[in-house]
Amino acid sequence: MERGFLETQSERKGEIVMTKNIKWETEIDAALALARVEKKPVLLDFFNPG
Amino acid sequence: MDAVTYPNDRVIFFITENMIPLRVAFDAQPLSADFNIKWTPAIITLDPDGNEHHRTVGFLAPEELIPSLLLGIGKSYFESDQFDTAIGSLEKLLGEYPESGSAPEAIYLRGVCRYKSTHKPEPLKAAYEQLTAEYPSSEWTKRAYPYRLL
């Protein structure tokens, strides 16, 4: 699986539908470590899980 | 964001290719206090050292989120004196999302980056002229107003 994508399956009228979602990090230290390795900035989203 | 923007294919591709996505509940401590979170969604661009460079609060549609993130990436490079790399992000924003709310600030910042890398004032005046012509009511046009005299 490609890093960053999270593949999920759902059934719709008997067919399997593949969808891709963002694979979120949940710990800032891990995200910053990845950012240093991949030389990318971090998108930090504070959200309300309801 | 979960219903419209984050499931969007272009958003998924952009974020996966260009950023490390990190999601935290608004009340998770100590991060919430560290970043002074008062409302959600709060979307922040950090460099790999954890320094904040750009923030938006409130819903953004896909056609606004991607340019906002490009602006954040551009600001991250600008603030680390990587002007040419910053210009690359801003050019991509302006080329692909000229109608977005982030475009006027991108024109302004691109002008500043060009000035900082060349030490010539012409890019600042060019930014003012483009802002005046294309985004006359933008706050960034007002901020560029002094550059008309250069």
Side-chain angles (χ1 to χ4, degrees):
Chain A
M1 184 189 306
E2 209 174 335
R3 207 208 75 74
F5 282 122
L6 181 65
E7 293 189 343
T8 59
Q9 292 183 1
S10 61
E11 290 199 18
R12 186 174 62 193
K13 292 183 179 176
E15 66 181 5
I16 294 175
V17 179
M18 297 298 296
T19 58
K20 289 186 174 180
N21 301 310
I22 297 166
K23 183 181 177 185
W24 296 95
E25 299 294 328
T26 57
E27 300 290 338
I28 191 165
D29 289 344
L32 292 175
L34 266 177
R36 284 189 284 272
V37 170
E38 299 192 18
K39 301 187 188 324
K40 293 178 180 177
V42 172
L43 184 175
L44 170 55
D45 176 16
F46 283 96
F47 75 114
N48 186 344
Chain B
M1 299 296 288
D2 287 329
V4 175
T5 303
Y6 289 139
N8 178 277
D9 285 344
R10 292 190 74 181
V11 170
I12 294 170
F13 182 78
F14 179 85
I15 290 175
T16 303
E17 288 293 305
N18 296 287
M19 307 189 84
I20 303 298
L22 167 63
R23 207 164 200 214
V24 180
F26 73 98
D27 55 354
Q29 299 298 348
L31 276 187
S32 179
D34 290 347
F35 286 93
N36 194 29
I37 299 304
K38 302 298 182 189
W39 195 248
T40 63
I43 300 169
I44 301 171
T45 302
L46 306 176
D47 64 32
D49 293 323
N51 301 308
E52 177 176 343
H53 295 278
H54 184 59
R55 174 183 298 215
T56 61
V57 177
F59 170 78
L60 291 173
E63 63 272 19
E64 289 292 343
L65 178 64
I66 295 174
S68 177
L69 295 175
L70 282 166
L71 179 59
I73 294 169
K75 290 167 80 171
S76 177
Y77 287 124
F78 168 71
E79 289 168 9
S80 59
D81 296 334
Q82 298 180 67
F83 303 120
D84 289 342
T85 311
I87 289 170
S89 290
L90 300 170
E91 295 276 12
K92 183 174 176 66
L93 188 170
L94 294 167
E96 297 182 16
Y97 301 94
E99 305 298 324
S100 76
S102 298
E105 186 175 355
I107 291 171
Y108 183 99
L109 186 58
R110 182 182 61 179
V112 174
C113 286
R114 287 173 171 167
Y115 169 73
K116 298 275 277 186
S117 60
T118 65
H119 302 290
K120 294 178 180 176
E122 288 83 358
L124 294 175
K125 187 170 186 176
Y128 168 74
E129 290 172 346
Q130 184 177 1
L131 285 164
T132 301
E134 298 178 16
Y135 307 94
S137 60
S138 168
E139 69 169 282
W140 292 98
T141 305
K142 296 172 187 170
R143 295 191 194 195
Y145 187 66
Y147 305 153
R148 76 194 187 285
L149 301 173
L150 295 172

